[in-house]
Each structure stands twice: as structure tokens, then as C-alpha cells.
């Protein structure tokens, strides 16, 4: 578990010296001695390009295009080959290793050197490879290339040093497994068949040694010919000819009989005493029709004939269904045990299957106990020891795509106890229909010396492990046919997850759904029987409601909220017919098992026949007890401790009196479109539309060329104005630092300005402004603030950053009863493109984490003598920068630009245009090697890392870098 956590932390791990130190107490800040100036700041940068080398960490998911399968019955490990040359080795849960052929050729067949820690692979480029599995990473020891013949089948008997290789020409070659060279012994096809037979028997499709005599080799040809070759005498013992093509052969353990599967869906049993004709011909899924004709069947691709000590033999095969029955039916695996015939339907086509037995010796009673089935997109193991043949629960993280993946998130530096507790809770989640026995593939180990015998194979690979599963649909009532509006909103799943926010320290988990809802979960180790609280929000806003600046000049900012603000639930004028959410929350007490338990659901309502717009941003803070989310209409802040809506505002109201745009009135629409025209898009359209929205957000701004008004108020905050010369750098690690003086900076700022046009052509332009990112944290809401306070940073699709200070009662009793106050501060910061990310650094360049509440179990036992109280943790700036520890740096990144802003002065220390030809999809500030960098994922497929170095000098000193 410790090793697993290190990989999860990845690049985000840092030493204590590089992270702001925590201090327990209230979320409020501490007094400041003086506001820092740019000259006080010195960030020591240590990042170099070598810190960003690509390295392999974790490979997750089902093997892409699997081709073959092998099993070591002694080591109890599996190997899966793929069409792209990959090999996946699986053992006990957690043992998962991946290797790759450099050629990329498809792996046709795998053969374990049983209990020897080695593996033979036969590839489509007609090359054999011998892999060593006894080292840290599996590696190829030897390779053997066939130049004139194509490899079709390989066989390696148990404890043998000879590998038999069949080819497309019908010849069989023998390879010494120790030296991995051809022995020179070749069984030519024309020697194997009768001299009088002129027809070529076809490729070799089967090779196996007789269980009774390892010196006898059974060779199966595609045409239907089977030959037993005496290796010592170099001659044929017998030949079998059959009219149907052979696909596979399987011996009885006594070596007196064998079974063949054929292309007509038949199984034939042959006895070595009389090889003239089969002793039995069966069509397991074919019947004789009324006219006497045999029902035509599909080929039986593989058959396994296994004997059992205490029961009838098992005949297990894939395929063979009749063509008439197979229409619309899924691929099947058939298990014949005595007179009982069981057909198991699969979700995907069967690539290969293996029967797991207790013994590796082919001449002993097999006693099969499981069947491993490799499907095109899945991997299952069937329990043969139970009459209903249940499958084992797969412990490998083979596939997370039980439903379409709509959201991913990464969390590093989690508390050390969170992973074990999630794993233990997740392991206890109720699962039905699975076998109760232990997973049969139990080989491999993580550490040396943990086993009593030295042959155990040790793996050092790290894989992702499924810890816990949560279904949001359990919060809601199942909609009845024709009831509710969820069916009108999305074509796929109305419960699909779009966004998540998780606080590992407080174990709060927040989920945004496609049906415009937010669910808040709390973690508990105890089950509970509680009722889920529900809040409904009316957050609808039309651009034609915008008032011009001239109309609002003499009016206070919030004089008439109803004119263009979303109306709270139950407000006058809200029709009861439309004031409905998309889904119905369960209104009865719900039993919740240990784990994440739903506490609160916030839903947006329909308004005037229009559905709520999808939520575009989310953040939660456990210390403040606040949850914030926004969409293209506005912002909602919820106090989840008091279960009340704290704020519900349109985007325009967030500006206060500092709106930099000229908002103009628009003529009302003549006719409202039908409800169906305004329905939310389905998941299939959501992603493409999101990209279009991001891509055009910047273009829509730069196209507004009429009546431009430069943003002088932003440049006036820049420390570069004046006589002092400063040096700022924000550059990729592989490029030279660029020294930027004040005049360069000024021209770049002048090249960008925004305004809303007053021309007639732009009157009908859409002026909706989405809330694209939110961040709670300790900051300075206004320039003159002497103390950092709780703030909500808001970023919009028009590149605007707004600060909303929050006043929170400090005493716990007051916090649960007294109202919280918050509102726009008038602070407006500007960037190019939609705002993507905020991060806060102290003046030494270390990340400042947001305050959080220490987790306490909400359903834990109460102590009457010591009532439970909230324990808050707040992060203060590092002590090494005492001279300027009262302020902090804010890093703001948009889809086009990054800025570093000094708080509380709001001076823009540096501006960097990240990309001009493309746009960013994702950005984050992360810790790397005790420093921080801005990591960006661009729409053109590039990943860029930008580091911030600032060395600001006084006017009388030379600028340094």
C-alpha cells in the first residue's frame, strides 16, 4: 500500500520545506504588519528540463485487441498477448505486469516454461522470443527468426527441453529451449502423410505429445489429417483422415483416445486401437431435421477434454451453435458434464479459453476446477466446482468502462489512511452472483522472501486498483414512464457524472450530474438510515434582460435583483408548473451502507418551459462549510452546514459597479421556441459542444473590434509602470529564459483590449457569460484589506476574474445558526480566453492549500462528556519569507494566457501568452522537485510546463535573473 501511494503521488510529492506549513485553528487569517511590494519578493527556482522526462508509471485497462492466452499451473500466473505486441502477466490481486515487443508484431501464441519463470512468445513476424520473468522487468533472453516459413502453432511439453513449432507449409521444426536454436530435426509434411497422397494437408494447427509416451508427437493438419509421429524411429505410427477441417485436438489423460473439433460444428472421438473411423461423432448444437437433413452449425473453434476423479469427464468448447439459432445470439461457451449441457453466453466474442486443472502432468487425472475465458473486451473465470457455474469476481482493474466515462479527476498527497479505508469499505460492498471461492490465479508476489519456496516469481510493477464504487442513481426515485422531465433532457443516462470535487482530508465528496444537480456525500464507517436533504435553485437568465449602463448609472448595484437575477425558489412570479427539478430525490429515509452517504442534493429548476443549463464549475470547502457551482447563467453558493442557499446571482450581478463591458439591451424574442428546442444536449453531443464553446470563447472577444476601449485600469496595476526596471520570466523548461523589460510588457498589454460594441451589427450577439472555474481560499478581497479572509475566486468564459469576500462566524455555535455574508468586492481582473484555473503561492513560491476541516465520522458514537467539535486546519505562508509573508501570489490561467498577481495590491507581476494558434483544455499548478510549475494540456495535443521565476530589484540596482 505504501508503494502504491507513492505512485499516486507522482509528480506532486514535495518535501516539507516546499509546502506551506499547516496550523490548526480558525479559517480566518492573521494580522499583517505591512503589505508586500514586488521588491520584497524573491523566488528561488530549481526546476530544469530533466525534471520533466517521460517515464512509465502505471498501465491501466483491458489489453487492447487480445489474441492469445497461457497459464502456468504451478506458479498460477496468466499471460495475455495482444495484436500490438503486448504481453500482460497476471497473478494474485495486485500482481500485474506489462511488457512490449519492440517490433509491435501481434502475439500469436504463448507458452510458459512451467515453473521455470520463463515464457515463449510466437509473433506474427514469424519470430520466437524467450522471455525471462525472474528479473525486475521481464526481458527477452533469446529470439529466433523464421525466414522461409510462417509459424502457425507451438507446443512445449511439461519439463521438456524441446519446443515443437508447426508452420504454414505443414512442416514441424524442433527448437532447443536452452540454446534457443533449431535442432536440425524437421518433420516434413510429405513424410508425415502417405506417399500416395499428393494433396497438401494444409498448415499445422495442432501439436501435442502423447500422455502415454512423450516420444510420440500428434500433428493435426488443417485439412482434417491427423498423424502420430514417432520421434525416436522418425516414422509415422498412424494416420487419420476426416472430411471436415480440424480446429483443435484434446487428449484423454490415459493417452488411448483423443477428441477433435471440426468446422461443421461436430466433435469426433478417436481410439488408437482403430483409427480407420471415429468411434463417436456428435453435433452438440445440431439436430436432425424432419426431412432427415442435419442442421448446419458453426465451427467449434476449440475443445478441451478433461477427466475428473469423482465424476464424469468434462467436454468444454467454444462455438458450434446452429446457424438457425445463432441469429441475434451472443458468443457461447458450452460445458458438457455427463448428460448435462450448459451454455454460457458471453458479452463479447471469445478469443481463447483455457481449462485450469490441479496437475501440470498430462497423464494424470485432470480434475478441472475453473475455465479462463479471454474475450475481445473482457476477461472472466468460470467456477467448475459449483453446479450453476458462477463466475469469479475479477480482482484486476481490467476495465472501468461499465458505462461511458464522462469525468476523471486526479488527487495527490492524500492522507495515508484514506486509501486503506476506501479499499476495506469497497471490498465489503454487496456483490451477488459471484463464486464464493478465492480467485484461482494466485501466483506472484510483491516482495522477496515472502514465500517458502524460491521458485516464486516476484513482480515490481504498479497498477491501478479499484478502491470504491459509488452510484449516484440511488439518491433519486426511479422515474416512471411519462413522469418527470429527465427523459427530455438527455438521450442516454440522466444520472451521468460530469464533474467531481473531493476533499480527502474532510472526506467530503461532491458530484455534478448531467441533469443539472449537485450531490454532496459524507464518508462514514457506519451505516445510517437518514433522509436526504434537497434544495431547489432557480438559476435562469436571459441576455435580453440585460440593462444598458446608462439605465443603471443612478441605481445601486443590487437595487432591483429581480430585473436580471435568478429568482430563489418560491419567489413571486415563479410558476409552480415549471419550478420543478429534472429528477425526484427520494423523500423517505434511506438506508445507507458504510462509505459515502448522500447528505444533500441541490437541483436547478425548469423556468418558463426551459430546462436548466448544465453546470460548468464546482468547488467545495469543508472548513467554510460552503459549496459553490455555476453555469452560463450565474453562480450559486450553498451553506451545506445550515442547508441553505447563501447566494444565487446572475453573472452580471457579480461585477457590482465594476463591469468592464458595455452591456446593451436587446430586442425581445418574438416567439419562444418549444421546450424540446431548449432541452439539454445528450452525452454524445456534450463533449463536442464543450470544445466548441471553449474554442470560440476567445474568438468571440477578439472579433469585437468596433468602439474598443482599452483596459487601462489593468495596466495601471502592473508593477512595470514607473521608472523601475524589473525582470519576470515564465517559460517552458526546455527553452531559454526570456528577459522581459517594462516596455515589452507594455506593448503586449496594449495589443489586447476588450469592449462590447455599440454598433447595430453586434446588438444580437450572445452576451451570456459562463462561470468556468471556482476556488475557495484565504485571500484579500479588496486592495485595502489588511487581513486575509475567506474568499471565493470566480473565473468566467470572458476571461474575467471576480473576488467575493466571505464573512464567516468564528465560533462553532454561531456558525451553525448565524448567517454568512458575502458579495462582490468590485475587484475585476482580466485575461485572454476562458479562465481555467486558480492557485495560490506564498512569497517564497510554495503552494498554499485551502483550509479544510479534519474528518470526523458523522455516525460515530457520541461522547456525552466531550461533545464533538469541528477541527479546522489553515495553511499560513512559509516562515522563510517573514518579510512578505503577509501577502501571497495568485496564479491565474486561462485557455490562452497565464498571469501572476500579487495580493493584496493586485499588481500583475507577470503575463505570459501561452498559445496563440490553439487553446488550453486543462491547466493546474503542481509541485515538482520542491518547486511549482504550471502544467498545461493544449488542444493540439501538446503538454507544456511553465515555471515562474521572479527576481525584482530596486531602481538603483541592476536587474538580475
Amino acid at each position: 500500500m505504501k508503494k502504491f501511494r507513492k505512485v499516486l503521488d507522482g509528480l506532486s510529492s514535495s518535501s516539507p520545506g516546499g509546502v506551506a506549513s499547516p496550523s490548526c485553528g480558525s479559517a480566518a487569517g492573521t494580522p499583517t504588519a505591512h503589505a508586500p511590494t514586488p521588491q520584497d519578493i524573491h523566488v528561488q527556482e530549481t526546476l530544469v528540463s530533466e525534471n520533466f522526462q517521460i517515464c512509465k508509471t502505471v498501465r491501466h485497462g483491458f489489453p487492447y485487441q487480445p489474441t492469445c492466452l497461457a497459464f502456468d499451473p504451478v506458479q498460477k500466473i496468466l499471460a495475455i498477448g495482444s495484436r500490438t505486441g503486448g504481453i500482460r502477466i497476471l497473478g494474485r490481486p495486485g500482481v500485474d505486469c506489462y511488457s512490449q515487443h519492440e517490433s509491435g508484431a501481434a502475439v500469436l501464441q504463448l507458452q510458459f516454461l512451467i515453473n521455470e519463470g520463463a515464457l515463449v512468445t510466437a509473433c506474427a513476424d514469424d519470430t520466437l522470443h524467450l522471455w525471462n520473468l525472474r528479473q525486475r522487468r521481464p526481458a527477452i533472453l533469446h529470439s529466433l527468426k523464421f525466414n522461409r516459413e510462417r509459424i502457425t502453432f507451438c507446443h512445449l511439453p511439461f519439463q521438456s527441453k524441446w519446443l515443437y513449432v508447426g508452420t504454414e507449409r505443414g512442416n514441424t521444426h524442433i527448437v532447443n529451449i536452452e540454446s534457443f536454436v533449431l535442432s536440425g530435426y524437421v518433420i516434413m509434411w510429405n513424410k508425415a502423410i502417405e506417399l500416395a497422397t499428393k494433396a497438401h494437408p494444409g498448415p499445422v494447427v495442432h501439436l501435442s505429445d502423447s500422455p502415454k509416451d512423450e516420444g510420440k508427437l500428434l500433428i493435426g493438419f488443417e485439412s482434417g489429417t491427423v498423424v502420430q509421429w514417432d520421434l525416436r524411429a522418425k516414422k509415422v505410427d498412424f494416420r487419420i483422415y476426416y472430411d471436415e477441417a480440424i480446429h483443435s485436438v484434446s487428449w484423454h489423460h490415459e493417452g488411448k483416445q483423443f477428441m477433435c473439433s471440426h468446422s461443421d460444428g461436430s466433435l469426433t472421438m478417436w481410439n488408437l486401437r482403430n483409427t480407420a473411423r471415429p468411434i463417436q461423432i456428435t453435433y452438440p448444437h445440431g439436430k436432425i431435421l424432419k426431412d432427415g437433413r442435419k442442421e448446419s452449425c458453426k465451427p467449434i473453434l476449440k475443445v478441451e477434454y478433461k477427466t475428473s476423479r469423482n465424476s464424469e469427464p468434462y467436454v468444454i468448447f467454444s462455438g458450434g451453435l446452429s446457424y438457425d439459432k445463432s441469429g441475434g445470439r451472443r458468443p457461447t461457451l458450452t460445458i458438457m458434464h455427463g448428460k448435462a449441457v450448459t451454455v454460457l453466453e458471453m458479452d463479447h466474442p471469445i478469443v481463447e479459453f483455457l481449462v485450469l486443472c490441479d496437475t501440470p502432468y498430462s497423464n494424470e487425472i485432470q480434475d478441472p476446477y475453473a475455465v479462463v475465458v479471454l474475450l475481445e473486451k473482457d476477461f472472466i473465470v468460470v467456477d467448475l466446482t459449483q453446479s450453476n457455474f458462477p463466475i469469479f469476481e475479477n480482482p484486476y482493474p481490467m476495465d472501468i468502462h461499465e458505462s461511458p466515462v464522462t469525468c476523471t479527476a486526479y488527487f495527490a498527497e492524500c492522507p495515508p489512511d484514506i486509501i486503506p479505508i476506501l479499499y476495506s469499505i469497497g471490498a465489503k460492498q454487496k456483490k451477488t452472483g459471484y463464486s464464493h471461492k478465492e480467485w484461482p490465479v494466485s501466483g506472484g508476489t510483491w516482495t522477496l522472501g515472502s514465500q517458502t519456496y524460491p521458485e516464486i516469481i516476484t513482480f515490481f510493477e504498479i497498477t491501478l486498483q479499484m478502491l470504491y464504487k459509488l452510484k449516484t442513481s440511488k439518491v433519486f426515485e426511479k422515474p416512471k414512464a411519462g413522469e418527470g422531465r429527465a427523459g427530455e433532457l438527455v438521450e442516454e443516462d440522466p444520472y451521468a457524472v460530469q464533474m467531481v470535487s473531493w476533499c480527502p482530508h474532510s472526506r467530503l465528496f461532491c458530484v455534478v450530474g448531467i441533469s443539472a444537480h449537485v450531490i454532496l456525500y459524507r464518508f462514514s464507517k457506519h451505516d445510517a438510515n437518514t433522509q436526504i436533504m434537497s434544495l431547489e435553485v432557480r438559476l435562469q437568465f436571459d441576455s435580453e434582460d440585460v440593462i444598458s449602463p446608462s439605465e443603471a448609472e443612478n441605481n445601486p448595484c443590487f437595487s432591483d435583483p429581480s430585473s436580471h437575477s435568478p429568482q430563489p425558489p418560491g419567489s413571486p412570479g415563479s410558476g409552480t408548473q415549471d419550478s420543478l427539478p429534472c429528477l425526484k430525490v427520494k423523500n423517505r429515509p434511506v438506508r445507507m451502507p458504510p462509505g459515502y452517504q448522500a447528505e444533500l442534493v441541490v437541483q436547478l429548476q425548469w423556468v418558463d418551459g426551459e430546462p436548466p443549463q448544465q453546470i460548468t464549475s464546482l468547488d467545495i470547502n469543508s472548513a467554510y462549510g460552503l459549496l459553490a457551482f455555476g453555469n452560463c447563467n450565474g453562480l450559486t453558493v450553498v451553506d451545506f452546514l445550515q442547508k441553505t442557499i447563501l447566494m444565487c446571482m446572475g453573472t452580471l450581478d457579480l461585477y457590482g459597479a465594476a463591469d468592464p463591458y458595455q452591456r446593451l439591451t436587446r430586442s425581445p424574442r418574438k416567439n419562444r421556441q418549444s421546450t424540446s428546442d431548449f432541452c439539454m444536449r445528450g452525452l454524445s453531443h456534450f463533449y463536442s459542444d464543450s470544445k466548441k464553446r471553449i474554442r470560440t470563447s476567445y474568438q468571440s472577444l477578439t472579433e469585437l473590434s468596433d468602439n474598443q476601449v482599452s483596459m487601462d485600469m489593468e495596466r495601471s496595476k502592473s508593477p512595470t509602470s514607473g521608472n523601475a526596471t524589473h525582470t519576470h520570466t515564465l517559460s517552458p523548461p526546455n527553452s531559454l529564459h526570456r528577459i522581459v523589460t517594462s516596455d515589452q510588457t507594455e506593448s503586449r498589454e496594449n495589443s489586447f483590449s476588450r469592449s462590447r460594441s455599440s454598433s447595430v451589427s453586434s446588438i444580437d450577439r450572445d452576451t451570456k457569460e459562463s462561470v468556468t472555474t471556482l476556488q475557495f481560499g484565504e485571500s484579500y478581497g479588496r486592495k485595502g484589506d489588511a487581513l486575509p479572509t475567506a474568499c471565493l475566486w470566480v473565473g468566467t468564459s470572458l476571461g474575467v476574474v471576480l473576488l467575493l469576500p466571505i464573512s464567516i462566524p468564528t465560533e462553532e455555535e454561531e456558525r451553525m445558526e448565524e448567517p454568512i455574508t458575502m458579495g462582490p468586492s468590485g475587484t475585476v481582473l482580466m485575461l485572454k480566453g476562458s479562465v481555467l484555473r486558480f492557485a495560490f503561492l506564498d512569497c517564497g513560491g510554495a503552494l498554499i492549500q485551502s483550509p479544510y476541516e479534519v474528518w470526523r465520522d458523522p455516525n460515530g458514537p457520541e461522547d456525552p462528556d466531550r461533545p464533538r467539535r469541528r477541527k479546522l486546519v489553515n495553511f499560513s505562508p512559509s516562515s522563510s519569507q517573514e518579510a512578505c509573508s503577509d501577502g501571497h501570489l495568485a496564479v491565474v490561467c486561462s485557455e490562452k494566457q497565464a498571469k501572476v498577481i500579487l495580493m493584496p495590491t493586485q499588481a500583475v507581476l507577470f503575463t505570459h501568452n501561452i498559445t496563440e494558434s490553439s487553446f488550453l483544455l486543462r491547466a493546474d499548478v503542481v509541485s515538482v522537485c520542491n518547486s511549482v510549475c504550471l502544467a498545461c494540456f493544449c488542444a493540439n495535443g501538446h503538454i507544456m510546463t511553465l515555471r515562474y521565476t521572479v527576481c525584482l530589484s530596486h531602481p538603483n540596482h541592476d536587474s538580475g535573473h
Side-chain angles (χ1 to χ4, degrees):
M1 188 61 67
K2 185 176 180 181
K3 182 183 291 291
F4 176 67
R5 182 176 179 267
K6 286 182 180 178
V7 172
L8 275 183
D9 292 345
L11 295 177
S12 298
S13 62
S14 60
S15 67
V19 178
S21 57
S23 59
C24 297
S26 170
T30 55
T32 94
H34 70 280
T37 63
Q39 286 75 17
D40 296 327
I41 301 175
H42 179 79
V43 176
Q44 185 65 36
E45 182 56 66
T46 59
L47 291 178
V48 292
S49 59
E50 286 73 18
N51 299 138
F52 299 94
Q53 299 298 319
I54 296 176
C55 63
K56 179 180 177 182
T57 53
V58 175
R59 187 178 185 93
H60 176 75
F62 185 79
Y64 180 61
Q65 296 179 327
T67 54
C68 52
L69 184 68
F71 181 69
D72 186 327
V74 178
Q75 292 284 330
K76 294 189 182 299
I77 55 175
L78 273 166
I80 299 175
S82 73
R83 194 173 299 175
T84 56
I87 304 173
R88 188 83 169 267
I89 300 175
L90 302 168
R92 66 180 59 188
V95 175
D96 190 335
C97 180
Y98 178 85
S99 294
Q100 175 73 39
H101 289 88
E102 291 184 1
S103 65
V107 182
L108 300 180
Q109 195 174 351
L110 297 165
Q111 287 278 308
F112 273 108
L113 277 67
I114 296 175
N115 199 34
E116 295 183 24
L119 178 72
V120 173
T121 60
C123 297
D125 60 354
D126 304 310
T127 304
L128 297 174
H129 302 279
L130 178 63
W131 290 78
N132 180 15
L133 306 181
R134 288 178 168 273
Q135 56 193 56
R136 182 177 179 86
R137 289 185 180 272
I140 295 177
L141 290 177
H142 302 288
S143 295
L144 179 61
K145 173 74 173 177
F146 281 65
N147 295 318
R148 298 181 180 180
E149 296 188 71
R150 308 218 65 181
I151 299 173
T152 56
F153 196 88
C154 298
H155 172 62
L156 179 63
F158 179 45
Q159 294 180 335
S160 171
K161 65 177 182 179
W162 304 110
L163 171 68
Y164 302 98
V165 182
T167 68
E168 192 175 33
R169 291 186 180 181
N171 303 323
T172 301
H173 300 266
I174 303 177
V175 178
N176 186 298
I177 202 68
E178 296 174 350
S179 61
F180 218 67
V181 295
L182 288 171
S183 67
Y185 191 130
V186 183
I187 306 172
M188 305 299 292
W189 69 269
N190 54 357
K191 299 283 185 69
I193 65 173
E194 289 182 317
L195 296 178
T197 305
K198 295 182 179 180
H200 191 280
V204 176
V205 295
H206 175 80
L207 292 168
S208 61
D209 59 310
S210 169
K212 187 169 60 173
D213 185 354
E214 62 181 12
K216 309 285 187 178
L217 183 68
L218 196 70
I219 307 173
F221 298 93
E222 188 181 58
S223 62
T225 300
V226 179
V227 173
Q228 180 167 288
W229 182 268
D230 189 327
L231 291 166
R232 301 181 187 92
K234 298 183 180 181
K235 65 176 185 178
V236 174
D237 288 339
F238 63 83
R239 298 180 179 92
I240 289 173
Y241 297 96
Y242 195 68
D243 294 336
E244 293 294 334
I246 290 177
H247 286 281
S248 69
V249 181
S250 183
W251 281 98
H252 187 278
H253 82 275
E254 293 178 348
K256 299 177 181 179
Q257 297 177 342
F258 61 86
M259 181 178 291
C260 299
S261 69
H262 300 277
S263 58
D264 64 344
S266 66
L267 297 173
T268 58
M269 181 74 77
W270 300 83
N271 194 305
L272 270 59
R273 292 181 179 178
N274 182 7
T275 58
R277 63 182 61 87
I279 61 174
Q280 185 181 22
I281 303 176
T282 58
Y283 293 85
H285 295 300
K287 297 180 180 179
I288 304 300
L289 303 178
K290 293 182 179 179
D291 57 2
R293 291 185 299 108
K294 177 184 66 67
E295 198 173 25
S296 60
C297 297
K298 291 185 174 183
I300 294 179
L301 302 178
K302 183 176 182 179
V303 65
E304 291 270 18
Y305 182 29
K306 301 298 182 184
T307 55
S308 179
R309 194 178 308 274
N310 300 319
S311 63
E312 296 289 327
Y314 286 86
V315 177
I316 304 171
F317 61 89
S318 60
L321 291 179
S322 66
Y323 281 98
D324 294 338
K325 293 179 181 178
S326 61
R329 291 188 64 172
R330 294 183 289 184
T332 61
L333 181 78
T334 303
I335 302 174
M336 299 173 63
H337 187 209
K339 295 182 179 180
V341 179
T342 304
V343 180
L344 304 178
E345 289 190 338
M346 305 294 166
D347 293 331
H348 309 284
I350 297 174
V351 176
E352 191 176 352
F353 73 89
L354 293 174
V355 179
L356 308 189
C357 303
D358 282 334
T359 176
Y361 296 95
S362 60
N363 60 354
E364 294 182 350
I365 296 176
Q366 303 298 291
D367 278 333
Y369 58 89
V371 184
V372 177
V373 187
L374 178 64
L375 308 177
E376 281 189 358
K377 297 182 180 180
D378 203 356
F379 173 79
I380 66 171
V381 180
V382 180
D383 186 354
L384 291 179
T385 62
Q386 300 185 39
S387 59
N388 59 340
F389 302 131
I391 65 172
F392 290 86
E393 184 182 3
N394 193 331
Y396 308 127
M398 301 293 286
D399 192 4
I400 59 173
H401 301 85
E402 297 180 29
S403 59
V405 175
T406 57
C407 174
T408 58
Y410 174 75
F411 301 93
E413 297 180 356
C414 300
D417 60 335
I418 190 66
I419 292 177
I421 192 64
L422 283 175
Y423 184 83
S424 62
I425 294 293
K428 295 176 184 177
Q429 289 179 323
K430 188 176 181 182
K431 303 175 180 71
T432 59
Y434 291 104
S435 172
H436 298 294
K437 294 198 171 184
E438 293 292 328
W439 180 250
V441 185
S442 56
T445 185
W446 288 98
T447 56
L448 291 171
S450 63
Q451 300 293 332
T452 56
Y453 51 96
E455 291 86 2
I456 196 71
I457 298 177
T458 305
F459 294 97
F460 294 89
E461 292 288 324
I462 301 298
T463 60
L464 299 181
Q465 178 68 43
M466 180 74 73
L467 296 179
Y468 182 78
K469 186 186 297 183
L470 182 66
K471 289 189 175 181
T472 60
S473 59
K474 294 183 179 181
V475 173
F476 303 99
E477 299 282 0
K478 210 169 190 180
K480 299 178 181 178
E483 181 184 15
R485 297 183 182 266
E488 301 178 42
L489 296 180
V490 286
E491 300 170 0
E492 291 85 0
D493 188 356
Y495 311 108
V497 176
Q498 286 186 270
M499 203 177 306
V500 296
S501 180
W502 185 44
C503 178
H505 302 281
S506 63
R507 302 185 188 178
L508 286 177
F509 185 53
C510 212
V511 176
V512 169
I514 197 172
S515 299
H517 61 263
V518 180
I519 309 174
L520 175 63
Y521 293 89
R522 281 188 186 271
F523 185 84
S524 175
K525 295 190 291 185
H526 307 275
D527 57 2
N529 192 18
T530 59
Q531 185 160 343
I532 303 170
M533 181 69 179
S534 176
L535 295 175
E536 296 174 3
V537 181
R538 185 179 170 91
L539 188 59
Q540 204 76 328
F541 172 73
D542 286 330
S543 55
E544 60 262 44
D545 295 330
V546 178
I547 61 173
S548 64
S550 59
E551 296 178 58
E553 283 179 357
N554 300 322
N555 297 330
C557 178
F558 305 108
S559 59
D560 187 10
S562 62
S563 62
H564 53 280
S565 297
Q567 297 177 355
S571 61
S574 60
T576 57
Q577 183 177 0
D578 284 315
S579 298
L580 295 173
C582 304
L583 298 170
K584 185 178 180 182
V585 180
K586 291 180 178 178
N587 58 1
R588 63 184 184 279
V590 180
R591 186 194 172 279
M592 301 178 188
Y596 275 99
Q597 302 167 349
E599 177 181 291
L600 176 66
V601 178
V602 184
Q603 293 180 285
L604 299 184
Q605 298 175 328
W606 287 62
V607 177
D608 297 332
E610 296 184 16
Q613 295 299 309
Q614 291 176 340
I615 295 171
T616 56
S617 55
L618 171 73
D619 193 33
I620 186 172
N621 188 277
S622 57
Y624 302 157
L626 299 179
L627 161 68
F629 62 90
N631 63 5
C632 64
N633 292 323
L635 170 69
T636 299
V637 181
V638 178
D639 183 345
F640 59 80
L641 295 181
Q642 297 186 20
K643 306 296 190 297
T644 59
I645 299 173
L646 181 61
M647 171 186 286
C648 184
M649 278 189 175
T651 313
L652 295 185
D653 290 334
L654 299 177
Y655 286 94
D659 189 352
Y661 297 125
Q662 294 179 352
R663 313 278 181 169
L664 302 178
T665 57
R666 293 180 57 184
S667 57
R669 290 175 292 188
K670 295 181 180 180
N671 296 307
R672 282 198 181 273
Q673 301 181 28
S674 62
T675 302
S676 60
D677 293 335
F678 284 89
C679 288
M680 280 197 287
R681 297 173 290 274
L683 284 175
S684 58
H685 304 118
F686 171 71
Y687 301 104
S688 59
D689 288 352
S690 297
K691 291 180 180 179
K692 290 177 184 177
R693 183 169 60 251
I694 296 174
R695 185 178 294 111
T696 57
S697 63
Y698 173 64
Q699 295 174 352
S700 63
L701 296 177
T702 56
E703 290 172 358
L704 301 177
S705 57
D706 297 335
N707 195 21
Q708 292 186 350
V709 178
S710 61
M711 301 303 298
D712 293 333
M713 66 174 188
E714 180 187 5
R715 291 196 304 275
S716 64
K717 304 171 187 176
S718 173
T720 59
S721 59
N723 297 323
T725 301
H726 308 299
T727 302
H728 322 291
T729 67
L730 183 62
S731 59
N734 290 326
S735 65
L736 295 175
H737 289 306
R738 281 169 286 178
I739 299 179
V740 183
T741 63
S742 59
D743 296 334
Q744 286 169 317
T745 306
E746 191 72 18
S747 63
R748 195 183 312 161
E749 292 288 338
N750 280 326
S751 65
F752 173 68
S753 60
R754 288 195 185 95
S755 69
R756 284 296 176 186
S757 173
S758 60
S759 63
V760 177
S761 62
S762 64
I763 287 181
D764 292 328
R765 191 182 300 275
D766 186 8
T767 58
K768 283 192 176 182
E769 185 174 5
S770 301
V771 178
T772 56
T773 185
L774 296 165
Q775 178 74 54
F776 286 107
E778 296 285 300
S779 186
Y780 302 85
R782 300 171 182 84
K783 280 187 177 181
D785 286 353
L787 298 174
T789 60
C791 286
L792 176 61
W793 285 62
V794 181
T796 77
S797 58
L798 298 186
V800 176
V801 178
L802 304 167
L803 270 66
L804 280 68
I806 310 170
S807 177
I808 304 176
T810 55
E811 296 296 329
E812 182 167 353
E813 292 76 9
E814 296 178 354
R815 173 63 185 87
M816 301 304 295
E817 296 182 2
E818 294 295 325
I820 292 177
T821 59
M822 65 180 299
S825 65
T827 298
V828 178
L829 309 172
M830 308 289 294
L831 288 90
K832 293 181 182 179
S834 178
V835 181
L836 299 180
R837 188 68 177 173
F838 301 120
F840 307 122
L841 312 178
D842 64 17
C843 293
L847 273 173
I848 302 176
Q849 297 185 26
S850 297
Y852 63 84
E853 177 188 1
V854 178
W855 175 76
R856 55 177 182 171
D857 199 325
N859 301 322
E862 293 279 356
D863 186 353
D865 298 329
R866 295 185 60 186
R868 291 185 298 173
R869 300 181 63 86
R870 300 176 69 217
K871 182 181 179 182
L872 307 182
V873 175
N874 187 34
F875 288 82
S876 61
S878 61
S879 58
S880 61
Q881 297 289 331
E882 295 179 356
C884 58
S885 61
D886 303 321
H888 69 81
L889 305 175
V891 180
V892 185
C893 184
S894 72
E895 62 183 3
K896 289 285 185 179
Q897 197 177 58
K899 287 190 177 184
V900 179
I901 302 168
L902 177 62
M903 303 299 290
T905 64
Q906 300 178 12
V908 179
L909 298 183
F910 187 73
T911 300
H912 179 71
N913 295 319
I914 300 175
T915 176
E916 294 294 341
S917 59
S918 186
F919 60 99
L920 300 186
L921 293 173
R922 190 78 180 262
D924 198 3
V925 175
V926 295
S927 295
V928 180
C929 299
N930 304 330
S931 295
V932 295
C933 66
L934 175 63
C936 304
F937 175 47
C938 200
N940 59 14
H942 293 173
I943 297 177
M944 297 174 286
T945 55
L946 308 175
R947 65 179 183 179
Y948 174 66
T949 303
V950 58
C951 181
L952 299 172
S953 62
H954 291 279
N956 296 329
H957 293 79
D958 294 333
S959 60
H961 179 77

